Amino acid sequence: MLLPASAMVRSVLVMAALVQLCRARISDPQLGFERNKVTGCPAEFQGACHCGVVPYGVDHVPTYVTNCTNAAFDDSTMLQHVPIETEVLIFVNNELYDLHFNIFGKESGLSQLHTVDLSNNHIQTIKGRTFHNVNNVTKLVLNDNDLYVVSKDFHPRMFSNFKSLEELQLRNAFSDKDVREKTDRYLSNLADTFKESGLVNLKALDLSENGFTDFKNASFFQSMPALETIALRSNKMSNLDVDLTLMPRLKSLDLSNNNFPFLRRATLSRISAVAGLGLNLSGNPLRCDCRMLDTYHYLLKSTGSVADKEEWRCYEANPSENVGKSLFEIDPRDLQCELKADPPAAHDLHVSYIVLGLVGVIFGVILAVVVFRHRRQVQSLALRVSEPVRNKFNYSSLDKKDIEAEMEV
Ligand SMILES: *[C@@H]1O[C@H](CO)[C@@H](O)[C@H](O)[C@H]1NC(C)=O
Ligand SMILES: *[C@@H]1O[C@H](CO)[C@@H](O)[C@H](O)[C@H]1NC(C)=O
Ligand SMILES: *[C@@H]1O[C@H](CO)[C@@H](O)[C@H](O)[C@H]1NC(C)=O
């Protein structure tokens, strides 16, 4: 049985329209790239990523996420084809080493892109011209990489195209070799990077787990005056010599899990110069003796918040019964000084001397009273004890005379 010609033409047209409709739904509205039906991503992503709207963040906001997690990519060329509607790019646990110039292409204009996460990709270098079209990115995450700031090519303008950056996460982000062996240059190059990148809008900086001991530069954060939170968790810091007044909006300073035994007077005056600063010192090897007093009194009258107070535990203490207690369970009169302590810092010395002096005076007075009340016994004891000494003294002076006499002969 044959269909009339007009009916056949009609059904072909309907089929074609249906196919067209399906293709339109899965192809890029602006650029016309084919999208993989299962993953939603362009073909260049080799079926290894997911592209599409998913609930995102703590508020589960529907967001267009391009997600290449564990995609086993050793190259970033596909990123030139990131879907134009991408708001969040997650490209984590791959192996990139050195990033290309213009990894997001030259003209793509990712105007919706606000978050880029490139964690754990063994990234070693980011060149000044690596990122383009990132003007609207507010959050960049580069945790767990091996960025060289000394050894290999050093590119101080690493983040310079991120004009709107508000949050930068650099947890465990730098080459261990640079951190270990080239500490001074590592720190000064890092300060240059922040400065050259013009991070004037940055509000949150995470520099946790980077082996810092100290910044050795009061103006280390000077180029980021809008900072509100700085995380320096799990470094090796025992001192903080940074001028915090350069960041007038600073609200939170996380110094947890470092090596602070207490806060030095200079550090305290820097911290107290920022009204209402929230401080986290939990997980430090706190030394609860008289050198802790300044810190203790500062914290009592601090206008800021003190995070996880109960975790501010004494690692060393005098008296030693206080080891393991929370600093705030201890009566400040029980923060005593050890006389045999290792050399305290210069500004702590006068406190030690005053305490030492007082102990000496008290001991002297007690001794005098005891001696006076038992003066008889003491006198006879002294005579008995000194007898052999006196005899020996006589002998030895005799001996000496004999020798002198012999020599004169
Ligand atoms: C990205 O993909 C990984 C692995 O498929 C998944 O665990 C993660 O939740 C995804 N993230 C988002 C924001 O969709
Ligand atoms: C940033 O976003 C605005 C508004 O969404 C847009 O007009 C502008 O073109 C975007 N800039 C870039 C470089 O994509
Ligand atoms: C303080 O630091 C500890 C250890 O890093 C962390 O577990 C805790 O959440 C922090 N507290 C606040 C309030 O940030």
Side-chain angles (χ1 to χ4, degrees), residues 165-168 194 199-207 220-231 242 244-253 274 277:
L165 207 59
E166 292 180 3
E167 181 173 352
L168 178 57
F194 294 141
L199 301 172
V200 291
N201 298 313
L202 199 68
K203 290 185 186 158
L205 178 62
D206 188 347
L207 286 173
F220 190 84
F221 297 99
Q222 186 170 27
S223 59
M224 298 171 282
L227 278 177
E228 292 173 10
T229 71
I230 303 178
V242 170
L244 301 175
T245 60
L246 297 171
M247 295 157 285
R249 292 179 220 160
L250 194 63
K251 287 192 190 72
S252 155
L253 181 60
V274 183
L277 180 67

mmCIF file of all heavy atoms in Angstrom, residues 165-168 194 199-207 220-231 242 244-253 274 277:
data_model
loop_
_atom_site.group_PDB
_atom_site.id
_atom_site.type_symbol
_atom_site.label_atom_id
_atom_site.label_comp_id
_atom_site.label_asym_id
_atom_site.label_seq_id
_atom_site.Cartn_x
_atom_site.Cartn_y
_atom_site.Cartn_z
ATOM 1 N N LEU A 165 38.644 39.072 41.878
ATOM 2 C CA LEU A 165 38.846 37.973 42.827
ATOM 3 C C LEU A 165 38.592 38.413 44.271
ATOM 4 O O LEU A 165 39.128 39.412 44.732
ATOM 5 C CB LEU A 165 40.276 37.440 42.689
ATOM 6 C CG LEU A 165 40.474 35.980 43.084
ATOM 7 C CD1 LEU A 165 39.601 35.073 42.249
ATOM 8 C CD2 LEU A 165 41.936 35.582 42.940
ATOM 9 N N GLU A 166 37.752 37.637 44.967
ATOM 10 C CA GLU A 166 37.447 37.934 46.370
ATOM 11 C C GLU A 166 37.941 36.841 47.301
ATOM 12 O O GLU A 166 38.136 37.059 48.479
ATOM 13 C CB GLU A 166 35.928 38.096 46.560
ATOM 14 C CG GLU A 166 35.411 39.339 45.865
ATOM 15 C CD GLU A 166 33.918 39.528 46.028
ATOM 16 O OE1 GLU A 166 33.264 38.732 46.735
ATOM 17 O OE2 GLU A 166 33.408 40.490 45.427
ATOM 18 N N GLU A 167 38.103 35.632 46.731
ATOM 19 C CA GLU A 167 38.531 34.525 47.580
ATOM 20 C C GLU A 167 39.608 33.730 46.852
ATOM 21 O O GLU A 167 39.406 33.301 45.714
ATOM 22 C CB GLU A 167 37.328 33.623 47.907
ATOM 23 C CG GLU A 167 37.708 32.477 48.804
ATOM 24 C CD GLU A 167 36.534 31.638 49.295
ATOM 25 O OE1 GLU A 167 35.370 32.030 49.061
ATOM 26 O OE2 GLU A 167 36.795 30.588 49.891
ATOM 27 N N LEU A 168 40.740 33.533 47.513
ATOM 28 C CA LEU A 168 41.841 32.784 46.923
ATOM 29 C C LEU A 168 42.286 31.710 47.915
ATOM 30 O O LEU A 168 42.667 32.012 49.041
ATOM 31 C CB LEU A 168 43.007 33.741 46.618
ATOM 32 C CG LEU A 168 44.289 33.145 46.043
ATOM 33 C CD1 LEU A 168 44.033 32.387 44.741
ATOM 34 C CD2 LEU A 168 45.324 34.247 45.806
ATOM 35 N N PHE A 194 51.520 38.541 45.162
ATOM 36 C CA PHE A 194 50.270 39.166 45.608
ATOM 37 C C PHE A 194 50.214 40.617 45.146
ATOM 38 O O PHE A 194 49.181 41.111 44.716
ATOM 39 C CB PHE A 194 50.132 39.070 47.133
ATOM 40 C CG PHE A 194 49.974 37.653 47.639
ATOM 41 C CD1 PHE A 194 50.594 37.230 48.810
ATOM 42 C CD2 PHE A 194 49.202 36.741 46.933
ATOM 43 C CE1 PHE A 194 50.438 35.931 49.266
ATOM 44 C CE2 PHE A 194 49.043 35.429 47.387
ATOM 45 C CZ PHE A 194 49.671 35.034 48.556
ATOM 46 N N LEU A 199 45.597 42.213 43.839
ATOM 47 C CA LEU A 199 44.428 41.575 44.462
ATOM 48 C C LEU A 199 43.746 42.537 45.434
ATOM 49 O O LEU A 199 43.517 42.227 46.601
ATOM 50 C CB LEU A 199 44.874 40.295 45.172
ATOM 51 C CG LEU A 199 45.550 39.263 44.262
ATOM 52 C CD1 LEU A 199 46.133 38.121 45.082
ATOM 53 C CD2 LEU A 199 44.559 38.723 43.239
ATOM 54 N N VAL A 200 43.387 43.688 44.931
ATOM 55 C CA VAL A 200 42.874 44.740 45.822
ATOM 56 C C VAL A 200 41.461 44.469 46.334
ATOM 57 O O VAL A 200 41.023 45.098 47.288
ATOM 58 C CB VAL A 200 42.917 46.133 45.146
ATOM 59 C CG1 VAL A 200 44.340 46.599 44.969
ATOM 60 C CG2 VAL A 200 42.203 46.094 43.800
ATOM 61 N N ASN A 201 40.752 43.526 45.694
ATOM 62 C CA ASN A 201 39.394 43.214 46.164
ATOM 63 C C ASN A 201 39.342 41.935 46.985
ATOM 64 O O ASN A 201 38.264 41.507 47.391
ATOM 65 C CB ASN A 201 38.439 43.056 44.970
ATOM 66 C CG ASN A 201 38.331 44.341 44.177
ATOM 67 O OD1 ASN A 201 38.152 45.409 44.766
ATOM 68 N ND2 ASN A 201 38.476 44.258 42.873
ATOM 69 N N LEU A 202 40.498 41.320 47.178
ATOM 70 C CA LEU A 202 40.496 40.014 47.837
ATOM 71 C C LEU A 202 40.032 40.128 49.288
ATOM 72 O O LEU A 202 40.546 40.931 50.054
ATOM 73 C CB LEU A 202 41.908 39.414 47.797
ATOM 74 C CG LEU A 202 41.962 37.913 48.031
ATOM 75 C CD1 LEU A 202 41.328 37.185 46.856
ATOM 76 C CD2 LEU A 202 43.390 37.437 48.234
ATOM 77 N N LYS A 203 39.037 39.288 49.653
ATOM 78 C CA LYS A 203 38.504 39.328 51.015
ATOM 79 C C LYS A 203 38.974 38.150 51.858
ATOM 80 O O LYS A 203 39.081 38.255 53.059
ATOM 81 C CB LYS A 203 36.970 39.297 50.965
ATOM 82 C CG LYS A 203 36.358 40.568 50.421
ATOM 83 C CD LYS A 203 34.847 40.478 50.520
ATOM 84 C CE LYS A 203 34.207 41.674 49.845
ATOM 85 N NZ LYS A 203 32.822 41.368 49.464
ATOM 86 N N ALA A 204 39.188 36.996 51.199
ATOM 87 C CA ALA A 204 39.541 35.796 51.962
ATOM 88 C C ALA A 204 40.750 35.121 51.332
ATOM 89 O O ALA A 204 40.738 34.812 50.138
ATOM 90 C CB ALA A 204 38.358 34.834 51.983
ATOM 91 N N LEU A 205 41.756 34.908 52.138
ATOM 92 C CA LEU A 205 42.972 34.261 51.655
ATOM 93 C C LEU A 205 43.279 33.069 52.542
ATOM 94 O O LEU A 205 43.346 33.200 53.766
ATOM 95 C CB LEU A 205 44.133 35.268 51.687
ATOM 96 C CG LEU A 205 45.509 34.756 51.263
ATOM 97 C CD1 LEU A 205 45.495 34.284 49.808
ATOM 98 C CD2 LEU A 205 46.563 35.843 51.443
ATOM 99 N N ASP A 206 43.438 31.905 51.921
ATOM 100 C CA ASP A 206 43.784 30.701 52.675
ATOM 101 C C ASP A 206 45.205 30.279 52.315
ATOM 102 O O ASP A 206 45.485 29.893 51.176
ATOM 103 C CB ASP A 206 42.789 29.576 52.343
ATOM 104 C CG ASP A 206 42.985 28.354 53.241
ATOM 105 O OD1 ASP A 206 44.024 28.286 53.938
ATOM 106 O OD2 ASP A 206 42.114 27.465 53.238
ATOM 107 N N LEU A 207 46.089 30.383 53.289
ATOM 108 C CA LEU A 207 47.494 29.985 53.073
ATOM 109 C C LEU A 207 47.866 28.863 54.044
ATOM 110 O O LEU A 207 49.008 28.765 54.480
ATOM 111 C CB LEU A 207 48.414 31.193 53.298
ATOM 112 C CG LEU A 207 48.423 32.271 52.207
ATOM 113 C CD1 LEU A 207 49.241 33.474 52.662
ATOM 114 C CD2 LEU A 207 49.006 31.722 50.907
ATOM 115 N N PHE A 220 53.731 42.130 54.590
ATOM 116 C CA PHE A 220 53.484 40.982 53.713
ATOM 117 C C PHE A 220 52.111 41.044 53.033
ATOM 118 O O PHE A 220 51.986 40.721 51.854
ATOM 119 C CB PHE A 220 53.605 39.680 54.506
ATOM 120 C CG PHE A 220 53.595 38.449 53.656
ATOM 121 C CD1 PHE A 220 54.755 37.988 53.062
ATOM 122 C CD2 PHE A 220 52.412 37.753 53.419
ATOM 123 C CE1 PHE A 220 54.748 36.858 52.258
ATOM 124 C CE2 PHE A 220 52.396 36.624 52.614
ATOM 125 C CZ PHE A 220 53.566 36.179 52.037
ATOM 126 N N PHE A 221 51.085 41.479 53.743
ATOM 127 C CA PHE A 221 49.726 41.491 53.179
ATOM 128 C C PHE A 221 49.294 42.868 52.690
ATOM 129 O O PHE A 221 48.129 43.077 52.374
ATOM 130 C CB PHE A 221 48.726 40.991 54.224
ATOM 131 C CG PHE A 221 48.952 39.556 54.645
ATOM 132 C CD1 PHE A 221 49.626 39.251 55.811
ATOM 133 C CD2 PHE A 221 48.491 38.503 53.862
ATOM 134 C CE1 PHE A 221 49.834 37.935 56.206
ATOM 135 C CE2 PHE A 221 48.691 37.182 54.244
ATOM 136 C CZ PHE A 221 49.372 36.903 55.408
ATOM 137 N N GLN A 222 50.254 43.768 52.618
ATOM 138 C CA GLN A 222 49.927 45.165 52.313
ATOM 139 C C GLN A 222 49.142 45.346 51.011
ATOM 140 O O GLN A 222 48.287 46.218 50.904
ATOM 141 C CB GLN A 222 51.218 45.980 52.241
ATOM 142 C CG GLN A 222 50.980 47.456 52.064
ATOM 143 C CD GLN A 222 52.256 48.251 52.233
ATOM 144 O OE1 GLN A 222 53.351 47.724 51.991
ATOM 145 N NE2 GLN A 222 52.132 49.479 52.654
ATOM 146 N N SER A 223 49.456 44.507 50.011
ATOM 147 C CA SER A 223 48.831 44.684 48.704
ATOM 148 C C SER A 223 47.387 44.186 48.664
ATOM 149 O O SER A 223 46.736 44.267 47.637
ATOM 150 C CB SER A 223 49.653 43.950 47.649
ATOM 151 O OG SER A 223 49.715 42.587 47.976
ATOM 152 N N MET A 224 46.905 43.649 49.808
ATOM 153 C CA MET A 224 45.531 43.117 49.831
ATOM 154 C C MET A 224 44.734 43.782 50.960
ATOM 155 O O MET A 224 44.329 43.138 51.921
ATOM 156 C CB MET A 224 45.598 41.594 50.018
ATOM 157 C CG MET A 224 46.314 40.920 48.860
ATOM 158 S SD MET A 224 46.645 39.175 49.137
ATOM 159 C CE MET A 224 48.064 39.274 50.208
ATOM 160 N N PRO A 225 44.481 45.083 50.802
ATOM 161 C CA PRO A 225 43.900 45.855 51.907
ATOM 162 C C PRO A 225 42.457 45.505 52.234
ATOM 163 O O PRO A 225 41.958 45.900 53.284
ATOM 164 C CB PRO A 225 43.987 47.300 51.408
ATOM 165 C CG PRO A 225 43.979 47.191 49.922
ATOM 166 C CD PRO A 225 44.690 45.904 49.603
ATOM 167 N N ALA A 226 41.768 44.750 51.343
ATOM 168 C CA ALA A 226 40.358 44.436 51.603
ATOM 169 C C ALA A 226 40.185 43.122 52.373
ATOM 170 O O ALA A 226 39.059 42.692 52.629
ATOM 171 C CB ALA A 226 39.591 44.377 50.286
ATOM 172 N N LEU A 227 41.299 42.478 52.742
ATOM 173 C CA LEU A 227 41.194 41.162 53.390
ATOM 174 C C LEU A 227 40.350 41.197 54.657
ATOM 175 O O LEU A 227 40.504 42.077 55.496
ATOM 176 C CB LEU A 227 42.586 40.629 53.731
ATOM 177 C CG LEU A 227 43.347 39.953 52.599
ATOM 178 C CD1 LEU A 227 44.735 39.538 53.073
ATOM 179 C CD2 LEU A 227 42.583 38.747 52.081
ATOM 180 N N GLU A 228 39.462 40.217 54.763
ATOM 181 C CA GLU A 228 38.623 40.075 55.961
ATOM 182 C C GLU A 228 38.983 38.818 56.742
ATOM 183 O O GLU A 228 38.855 38.780 57.945
ATOM 184 C CB GLU A 228 37.141 40.024 55.566
ATOM 185 C CG GLU A 228 36.656 41.346 55.019
ATOM 186 C CD GLU A 228 35.239 41.286 54.463
ATOM 187 O OE1 GLU A 228 34.542 40.276 54.662
ATOM 188 O OE2 GLU A 228 34.849 42.278 53.815
ATOM 189 N N THR A 229 39.396 37.786 55.997
ATOM 190 C CA THR A 229 39.815 36.569 56.716
ATOM 191 C C THR A 229 41.130 36.048 56.149
ATOM 192 O O THR A 229 41.327 36.009 54.932
ATOM 193 C CB THR A 229 38.768 35.434 56.633
ATOM 194 O OG1 THR A 229 38.770 34.922 55.301
ATOM 195 C CG2 THR A 229 37.375 35.898 56.951
ATOM 196 N N ILE A 230 42.005 35.668 57.056
ATOM 197 C CA ILE A 230 43.271 35.045 56.656
ATOM 198 C C ILE A 230 43.378 33.724 57.404
ATOM 199 O O ILE A 230 43.273 33.689 58.629
ATOM 200 C CB ILE A 230 44.484 35.928 57.029
ATOM 201 C CG1 ILE A 230 44.355 37.318 56.398
ATOM 202 C CG2 ILE A 230 45.793 35.277 56.580
ATOM 203 C CD1 ILE A 230 45.494 38.258 56.771
ATOM 204 N N ALA A 231 43.549 32.642 56.649
ATOM 205 C CA ALA A 231 43.716 31.333 57.285
ATOM 206 C C ALA A 231 45.179 30.918 57.167
ATOM 207 O O ALA A 231 45.712 30.826 56.060
ATOM 208 C CB ALA A 231 42.808 30.310 56.623
ATOM 209 N N VAL A 242 53.388 40.532 61.402
ATOM 210 C CA VAL A 242 52.721 41.213 60.291
ATOM 211 C C VAL A 242 51.906 42.392 60.815
ATOM 212 O O VAL A 242 51.246 42.275 61.845
ATOM 213 C CB VAL A 242 51.792 40.208 59.565
ATOM 214 C CG1 VAL A 242 50.913 40.910 58.579
ATOM 215 C CG2 VAL A 242 52.624 39.149 58.881
ATOM 216 N N LEU A 244 48.891 44.140 61.023
ATOM 217 C CA LEU A 244 47.498 43.829 60.687
ATOM 218 C C LEU A 244 46.674 45.087 60.422
ATOM 219 O O LEU A 244 45.600 45.005 59.825
ATOM 220 C CB LEU A 244 46.860 43.009 61.808
ATOM 221 C CG LEU A 244 47.547 41.671 62.125
ATOM 222 C CD1 LEU A 244 46.903 41.023 63.324
ATOM 223 C CD2 LEU A 244 47.505 40.734 60.932
ATOM 224 N N THR A 245 47.182 46.238 60.817
ATOM 225 C CA THR A 245 46.417 47.471 60.585
ATOM 226 C C THR A 245 46.391 47.828 59.096
ATOM 227 O O THR A 245 45.606 48.663 58.673
ATOM 228 C CB THR A 245 46.996 48.664 61.369
ATOM 229 O OG1 THR A 245 48.336 48.864 60.934
ATOM 230 C CG2 THR A 245 46.967 48.409 62.858
ATOM 231 N N LEU A 246 47.236 47.155 58.294
ATOM 232 C CA LEU A 246 47.197 47.374 56.850
ATOM 233 C C LEU A 246 45.938 46.772 56.234
ATOM 234 O O LEU A 246 45.642 47.008 55.067
ATOM 235 C CB LEU A 246 48.441 46.770 56.188
ATOM 236 C CG LEU A 246 49.787 47.385 56.622
ATOM 237 C CD1 LEU A 246 50.946 46.581 56.085
ATOM 238 C CD2 LEU A 246 49.872 48.829 56.152
ATOM 239 N N MET A 247 45.237 45.970 57.041
ATOM 240 C CA MET A 247 43.978 45.363 56.571
ATOM 241 C C MET A 247 42.866 45.769 57.528
ATOM 242 O O MET A 247 42.454 44.995 58.385
ATOM 243 C CB MET A 247 44.128 43.847 56.537
ATOM 244 C CG MET A 247 45.146 43.386 55.524
ATOM 245 S SD MET A 247 45.763 41.761 55.937
ATOM 246 C CE MET A 247 46.850 42.146 57.283
ATOM 247 N N PRO A 248 42.365 46.985 57.357
ATOM 248 C CA PRO A 248 41.432 47.526 58.356
ATOM 249 C C PRO A 248 40.133 46.748 58.498
ATOM 250 O O PRO A 248 39.433 46.892 59.489
ATOM 251 C CB PRO A 248 41.172 48.956 57.862
ATOM 252 C CG PRO A 248 41.652 49.011 56.457
ATOM 253 C CD PRO A 248 42.659 47.940 56.282
ATOM 254 N N ARG A 249 39.791 45.873 57.512
ATOM 255 C CA ARG A 249 38.524 45.132 57.611
ATOM 256 C C ARG A 249 38.722 43.715 58.128
ATOM 257 O O ARG A 249 37.790 42.910 58.115
ATOM 258 C CB ARG A 249 37.856 45.069 56.235
ATOM 259 C CG ARG A 249 37.384 46.429 55.762
ATOM 260 C CD ARG A 249 36.759 46.323 54.381
ATOM 261 N NE ARG A 249 37.162 47.465 53.580
ATOM 262 C CZ ARG A 249 37.122 47.511 52.261
ATOM 263 N NH1 ARG A 249 36.721 46.454 51.579
ATOM 264 N NH2 ARG A 249 37.510 48.582 51.604
ATOM 265 N N LEU A 250 39.930 43.422 58.571
ATOM 266 C CA LEU A 250 40.213 42.049 59.010
ATOM 267 C C LEU A 250 39.298 41.637 60.168
ATOM 268 O O LEU A 250 39.164 42.361 61.145
ATOM 269 C CB LEU A 250 41.678 41.948 59.444
ATOM 270 C CG LEU A 250 42.228 40.538 59.604
ATOM 271 C CD1 LEU A 250 42.215 39.811 58.272
ATOM 272 C CD2 LEU A 250 43.644 40.571 60.157
ATOM 273 N N LYS A 251 38.660 40.464 60.016
ATOM 274 C CA LYS A 251 37.717 40.005 61.035
ATOM 275 C C LYS A 251 38.151 38.697 61.656
ATOM 276 O O LYS A 251 37.782 38.374 62.759
ATOM 277 C CB LYS A 251 36.337 39.766 60.395
ATOM 278 C CG LYS A 251 35.604 41.016 60.046
ATOM 279 C CD LYS A 251 34.143 40.652 59.706
ATOM 280 C CE LYS A 251 33.412 41.822 59.110
ATOM 281 N NZ LYS A 251 33.871 42.109 57.739
ATOM 282 N N SER A 252 38.917 37.903 60.870
ATOM 283 C CA SER A 252 39.207 36.572 61.362
ATOM 284 C C SER A 252 40.637 36.158 60.984
ATOM 285 O O SER A 252 41.052 36.286 59.831
ATOM 286 C CB SER A 252 38.187 35.601 60.754
ATOM 287 O OG SER A 252 38.713 34.305 60.717
ATOM 288 N N LEU A 253 41.340 35.709 61.983
ATOM 289 C CA LEU A 253 42.719 35.259 61.780
ATOM 290 C C LEU A 253 42.834 33.864 62.371
ATOM 291 O O LEU A 253 42.673 33.668 63.574
ATOM 292 C CB LEU A 253 43.673 36.235 62.483
ATOM 293 C CG LEU A 253 45.165 35.974 62.373
ATOM 294 C CD1 LEU A 253 45.623 36.003 60.921
ATOM 295 C CD2 LEU A 253 45.938 37.006 63.172
ATOM 296 N N VAL A 274 43.521 45.728 65.863
ATOM 297 C CA VAL A 274 42.374 45.488 64.983
ATOM 298 C C VAL A 274 41.173 45.158 65.862
ATOM 299 O O VAL A 274 41.081 44.063 66.414
ATOM 300 C CB VAL A 274 42.655 44.308 64.022
ATOM 301 C CG1 VAL A 274 41.496 44.117 63.062
ATOM 302 C CG2 VAL A 274 43.939 44.544 63.259
ATOM 303 N N LEU A 277 38.763 41.565 66.256
ATOM 304 C CA LEU A 277 39.342 40.468 65.472
ATOM 305 C C LEU A 277 39.065 39.110 66.125
ATOM 306 O O LEU A 277 39.315 38.923 67.307
ATOM 307 C CB LEU A 277 40.858 40.680 65.343
ATOM 308 C CG LEU A 277 41.617 39.629 64.547
ATOM 309 C CD1 LEU A 277 41.219 39.690 63.083
ATOM 310 C CD2 LEU A 277 43.114 39.830 64.688
#
